[in-house]
Amino acid sequence: MTYKRDNSIEISKTEFRKIGYELIDTISDFFDEISEKPITTSKSPKELQKTLGNLALPANGLPAEELLSKASKLLFENSLFNGHPKFFGFITSSAAPIGALADLLASTVNANVGGQILSPMATEIEKQTIKWLAEFIGVSPNYGGILVSGGNMANFTAFLAARTAKAPKNIKEDGLSNSSKMLISYCSKATHTWIDKAAVLFGHGSNSIRWIPTDAANKMNIELLEQTIKEDIKQGNQPFMVVGTAGDVSTGVVDNLEAIASTCKMYNLWFHIDGAYGIPAAVIPELKDLFAGIKEADSIALDPHKWLYSALEAGCTLVKNPQHLIDTYSSHPEYYNFSLTEEGGSLNYFEYGLQNSRGFRALKVWLALQQIGSNGYVKLIKEDIALSKYFYELAHKQSELEPVTQNLSIATFRYVPKNYQEQGEKREAYLNTLNEELVNSVQNGGELFLSNAIVENKYCLRTCIVNFRTTKKDIEESIEIIIKEGNKIHLSLQA
């Protein structure tokens, strides 16, 4: 006879199946109808709080079926849907539906992918996922790595590995304060703000970053980079890391990675690529030259939840020599019984990153990579780039839109009212105000969602397409919405 504890956590097989089928039906309807839904709610935080209800924590449990039904309604009626075909904001991709099923399966097994003994198959799946991601972008499958929550954590993980590799060897024991030389990192002015966070949070200070100006193409100026490195060495500082961007988040520009790699070799610096957004485009044969130099990178950050259509959260750090991760993160207190004695190259992921307890992020990426395949990704990424170019071309054809930049799958442009005659600084100030109001209005309107970029002091509308649901029709309709809303705001500002 099997004895079970009496508790409110268990759900019987029959009830679980019933609730599960109902939830899957609800999710299937959502996927089928997402194009017809508003992209986001127009409710204020106070209205959302009222919808949620100001209830106390229940003393006694409620039925699971009732709770899931209520949660589904709350989320499907009051969320921003980055899977909507007119979602062009920030860089969160429309998530492959297989990821939802993968997360259900991963949560069911509930593997702690920190130690191999805790997650035997999940560890092997993550290892294979890392290998496939390296192969996908065109670097050696011998790169090691780890899946993390997103771009910030992927870049942080590499930053600390770079510091361990290039800083004085006593840094672990004595810390930064006992070093006579300031450790300096280099990046372009277009680099994402993660580098500032890393320098502050890890004790270097924001003054340890050298923000290198960009050239006419918005790429890091290599001549100024080398001049700055030489000056720092002359001043008694210790350069340790250069960050190249493979697809900056504002305009999609890719730095001259080959030239940065050469500079890093010359001065024995760690070469890191922030490819969180753009590096999956390295799979496109026609773009190989744009990404030349990635094989020289000591580390690479990429986010499957950006341009590989994974559900959140899924970031990744790849490192050419994975021993650098172990040197940085490995720790063996006496209560860890995680020895690895078997053959086959197993590893404990707690030695590769900041987390000890880790969820099974790899499963949704691993399944999507197989379902879509490399050829499928080439097709989808090419289409996203083509749609972005189409957005730019349509903007060029409209008298009320001024195209500004187009790189990878990011296009920027701004609304300029018909017959607006003002010139000089007053004109630019007004257009910046107008376009900022336009972005805010569009984001709250629910018909489409885009973001902003500042390009050469111009406040621009920014569209990023990492969305397998987007079509040319969505872009055509979006152009109409932007012009209509822009005209309305212009008239209100002139009133």
Side-chain angles (χ1 to χ4, degrees):
M1 181 181 291
T2 302
Y3 292 95
K4 291 187 177 181
R5 288 169 62 184
D6 181 22
N7 60 63
S8 58
I9 294 177
E10 289 280 10
I11 299 176
S12 71
K13 178 180 176 179
T14 302
E15 186 184 4
F16 191 91
R17 180 186 288 120
K18 179 177 181 291
I19 297 170
Y21 284 169
E22 288 172 355
L23 180 59
I24 292 296
D25 283 343
T26 302
I27 292 170
S28 299
D29 289 342
F30 167 73
F31 283 146
D32 194 50
E33 298 163 1
I34 189 170
S35 301
E36 311 305 319
K37 291 179 175 290
I39 293 182
T40 189
T41 178
S42 58
K43 294 177 184 175
S44 68
K46 281 191 175 180
E47 290 174 307
L48 290 171
Q49 291 157 19
K50 185 177 179 181
T51 301
L52 181 61
N54 188 23
L55 303 174
L57 174 68
N60 298 309
L62 300 171
E65 183 174 9
E66 176 188 324
L67 291 169
L68 279 170
S69 176
K70 180 182 178 182
S72 300
K73 184 176 174 64
L74 284 170
L75 289 169
F76 289 146
E77 293 182 1
N78 300 284
S79 293
L80 180 145
F81 300 128
N82 47 45
H84 193 287
K86 289 190 181 73
F87 179 85
F88 311 122
F90 312 113
I91 312 176
T92 306
S93 67
S94 184
I98 199 170
L101 299 174
D103 275 345
L104 173 61
L105 180 55
S107 296
T108 302
V109 178
N110 198 33
N112 180 349
V113 197
Q116 194 273 344
I117 195 173
L118 304 175
S119 53
M121 182 49 71
T123 295
E124 297 307 318
I125 286 174
E126 182 156 349
K127 280 170 56 183
Q128 190 171 74
T129 303
I130 294 294
K131 178 183 176 184
W132 285 350
L133 289 172
E135 288 177 338
F136 181 84
I137 64 171
V139 300
S140 168
N142 293 324
Y143 272 65
I146 186 168
L147 288 170
V148 293
S149 59
N152 269 15
M153 289 305 299
N155 285 303
F156 288 173
T157 302
F159 183 95
L160 291 173
R163 185 175 77 180
T164 301
K166 298 298 182 181
K169 296 307 174 188
N170 65 342
I171 192 170
K172 276 193 172 183
E173 293 79 18
D174 298 335
L176 289 175
S177 60
N178 289 303
S179 175
S180 59
K181 295 183 177 183
M182 179 180 278
L183 292 170
I184 306 294
S185 52
Y186 304 82
C187 62
S188 89
K189 286 193 172 180
T191 304
H192 188 273
T193 186
W194 72 263
I195 184 72
D196 205 38
K197 279 189 183 179
V200 171
L201 294 174
F202 300 136
H204 295 244
S206 57
N207 289 338
S208 70
I209 304 170
R210 301 293 183 257
W211 298 92
I212 306 300
T214 52
D215 59 21
N218 208 34
K219 297 171 185 274
M220 185 193 291
N221 187 311
I222 304 301
E223 185 178 339
L224 289 178
L225 169 65
E226 293 191 9
Q227 286 177 12
T228 309
I229 291 170
K230 288 176 183 176
E231 183 61 28
D232 271 315
I233 294 170
K234 186 178 176 182
Q235 295 294 326
N237 294 320
Q238 183 174 344
F240 81 101
M241 178 187 194
V242 181
V243 179
T245 299
D248 88 69
V249 295
S250 291
T251 62
V253 166
V254 177
D255 280 331
N256 186 338
L257 304 176
E258 199 167 29
I260 295 173
S262 177
T263 301
C264 287
K265 263 186 187 171
M266 187 185 308
Y267 294 97
N268 191 29
L269 307 180
W270 183 281
F271 175 29
H272 174 65
I273 296 177
D274 178 1
Y277 154 57
I279 210 156
V283 76
I284 307 298
E286 296 85 350
L287 298 180
K288 288 295 181 187
D289 289 347
L290 184 64
F291 291 93
I294 64 173
K295 292 181 180 180
E296 304 304 316
D298 294 294
S299 58
I300 301 170
L302 69 144
D303 280 4
H305 70 220
K306 286 188 167 69
W307 214 353
L308 292 178
Y309 315 103
S310 173
L312 290 157
E313 300 170 345
C316 177
T317 307
L318 296 174
V319 178
K320 180 179 281 188
N321 179 359
Q323 184 62 41
H324 289 303
L325 293 176
I326 295 172
D327 292 345
T328 305
Y329 297 104
S330 183
S331 177
H332 289 276
E334 60 185 19
Y335 53 86
Y336 275 20
N337 182 24
F338 294 143
S339 60
L340 294 170
T341 56
E342 74 281 3
E343 297 177 1
S346 288
L347 57 86
N348 291 317
Y349 271 108
F350 76 84
E351 297 189 281
Y352 270 51
L354 289 159
Q355 287 182 273
N356 282 354
S357 298
R358 304 177 60 249
F360 191 10
R361 292 187 182 96
L363 186 61
K364 57 195 168 194
V365 182
W366 184 74
L367 288 172
L369 287 169
Q370 293 175 87
Q371 185 205 10
I372 300 167
S374 59
N375 290 337
Y377 277 108
V378 168
K379 177 179 181 293
L380 288 170
I381 292 171
K382 270 187 172 181
E383 288 172 351
D384 285 346
I385 292 171
L387 287 167
S388 178
K389 289 178 178 177
Y390 186 58
F391 226 137
Y392 185 84
E393 289 162 7
L394 285 187
H396 191 71
K397 291 177 181 177
Q398 301 293 328
S399 60
E400 292 159 284
L401 295 179
E402 177 189 289
V404 180
T405 65
Q406 197 289 314
N407 298 283
L408 298 182
S409 67
I410 295 177
T412 64
F413 50 93
R414 63 178 183 169
Y415 175 79
V416 180
K418 272 185 183 176
N419 305 317
Y420 183 64
Q421 301 299 322
E422 194 68 61
Q423 297 298 318
E425 290 183 9
K426 191 172 180 181
R427 170 188 173 86
E428 293 305 309
Y430 177 75
L431 290 179
N432 283 348
T433 299
L434 172 58
N435 280 275
E436 185 173 2
E437 291 284 332
L438 178 53
V439 168
N440 293 333
S441 179
V442 168
Q443 285 186 348
N444 292 321
E447 291 185 278
L448 75 145
F449 196 97
L450 43 71
S451 58
N452 70 284
I454 309 297
V455 184
E456 295 179 350
N457 298 318
K458 296 178 181 179
Y459 192 100
C460 299
L461 286 70
R462 171 192 167 280
T463 59
C464 178
I465 301 176
V466 284
N467 194 327
F468 60 84
R469 292 190 175 99
T470 302
T471 66
K472 281 189 170 184
K473 186 171 183 290
D474 292 306
I475 291 168
E476 292 160 2
E477 291 173 351
S478 295
I479 289 283
E480 292 175 7
I481 293 166
I482 290 165
I483 292 173
K484 179 182 175 183
E485 195 63 26
N487 185 53
K488 190 199 304 184
I489 293 169
H490 173 57
L491 291 175
S492 70
L493 290 174
Q494 294 293 299

